[in-house]
């Protein structure tokens, strides 16, 4: 609604008045979205491992395993909301390369933690 229009106008104003500040703003939104997206991938991998180990091998779910499986779709929804916010706030030619670069870096970092 109106709030989105005001935010878009504010972002455009910031781009004209303070380009460096706007670049930091794009970087902050891209980093937040990329980190949440990497967490989403980590939760998906963890959920698949929990299902495989708990259900197939042991025949039952543990409480922490069930929590990981339930958190997986919740984090995916948050990821989609943040990606939609980024696409609405910034031009696609600006946010997509920033998001992709930070996403690849985040996934590599979180993959190192997981494995």
């Amino acid at each position: 609604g109106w709030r989105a229009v005001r935010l878009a106008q504010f972002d455009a104003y910031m781009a004209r008045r303070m380009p460096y500040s706007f670049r930091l703003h794009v970087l902050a939104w891209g980093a937040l979205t990329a980190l949440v997206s990497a967490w989403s991938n980590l939760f998906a991998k963890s959920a698949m491992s929990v299902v495989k180990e708990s259900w197939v091998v042991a025949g039952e779910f543990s409480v922490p395993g069930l929590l990981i499986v339930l958190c997986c779709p919740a984090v995916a929804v948050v990821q989609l909301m943040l990606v939609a916010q980024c696409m609405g706030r910034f031009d696609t030619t600006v946010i997509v390369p920033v998001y992709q670069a930070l996403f690849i870096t985040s996934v590599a970092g979180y993959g190192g933690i997981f494995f």
Side-chain angles (χ1 to χ4, degrees):
W2 288 106
R3 186 171 189 272
V5 170
R6 283 184 283 162
L7 286 174
Q9 289 171 346
F10 177 73
D11 288 342
Y13 170 78
M14 292 294 287
R16 285 192 309 271
R17 298 287 292 163
M18 293 177 268
Y20 182 71
S21 175
F22 185 72
R23 285 190 297 247
L24 288 179
H25 191 62
V26 170
L27 189 63
W29 271 97
L32 175 66
T33 306
L35 289 172
V36 171
S37 299
W39 270 109
S40 178
N41 280 356
L42 189 62
F43 269 117
K45 173 62 177 159
S46 299
M48 289 297 113
S49 296
V50 164
V51 168
K52 178 183 167 191
E53 294 297 320
S54 297
W55 188 254
V56 175
V57 176
E60 62 184 25
F61 270 120
S62 63
V63 174
L66 186 61
L67 288 175
I68 289 175
V69 170
L70 292 176
C71 284
C72 186
V75 174
V77 168
V78 172
Q79 171 193 354
L80 290 175
M81 287 177 16
L82 285 172
V83 168
Q85 281 285 326
C86 284
M87 294 298 171
R89 285 178 179 265
F90 307 107
D91 190 30
T92 307
T93 59
V94 173
I95 194 64
V96 170
V98 170
Y99 169 73
Q100 285 295 324
L102 293 172
F103 174 69
I104 291 168
T105 306
S106 300
V107 167
Y110 287 149
I113 293 170
F114 185 77
F115 295 110

